[in-house]
Amino acid sequence: MLELRPNCECCDKDLAPESRGAMICTFECTFCADCAAEVLKGTCPNCAGELVRRPVRTAAALARHPASTKRVLKAEGCAPKAA
C-alpha cells in the first residue's frame, strides 16, 4: 500500500492525500509536480527512476488506511541524479 507522504522532498510543499500534483517513483519518493518537472526533469534524484502522478486514495480507503504524517526532506537540496 502506498505511504502517501505529506510533502515534496525538494521544496517541502504540502501534498494532501487527494492532491493530483504529487509525483512518485517506484520507491515512493514524493515530489510536487513543479519540482518533478522543472528541477528533476521527471527523474527521481534518489534512485534515477521515473516520476509519475501519485494515485489518489478514496475517502473511504483513507479512513481505513490513513496517509503518512512523516515528512521527508532532502537536506542537501534537490537535483537530478547524475547518469
Side-chain angles (χ1 to χ4, degrees):
M1 179 160 322
L2 289 176
E3 194 174 339
L4 298 181
R5 295 178 185 166
N7 66 303
C8 174
E9 289 185 31
C10 274
C11 69
D12 203 28
K13 176 181 179 178
D14 289 337
L15 296 169
E18 68 276 5
S19 175
R20 297 200 178 270
M23 308 293 285
I24 60 171
C25 71
T26 60
F27 292 99
E28 299 182 50
C29 302
T30 304
F31 304 95
C32 69
D34 289 339
C35 286
E38 297 169 21
V39 177
L40 302 172
K41 308 296 185 215
T43 302
C44 178
N46 302 321
C47 68
E50 178 184 19
L51 294 171
V52 298
R53 190 178 71 78
R54 181 178 73 188
V56 174
R57 191 171 296 162
T58 65
L62 270 173
R64 289 188 314 273
H65 307 284
S68 174
T69 58
K70 180 181 176 192
R71 297 180 81 82
V72 177
L73 187 62
K74 294 183 69 58
E76 68 279 4
C78 206
K81 188 175 181 113

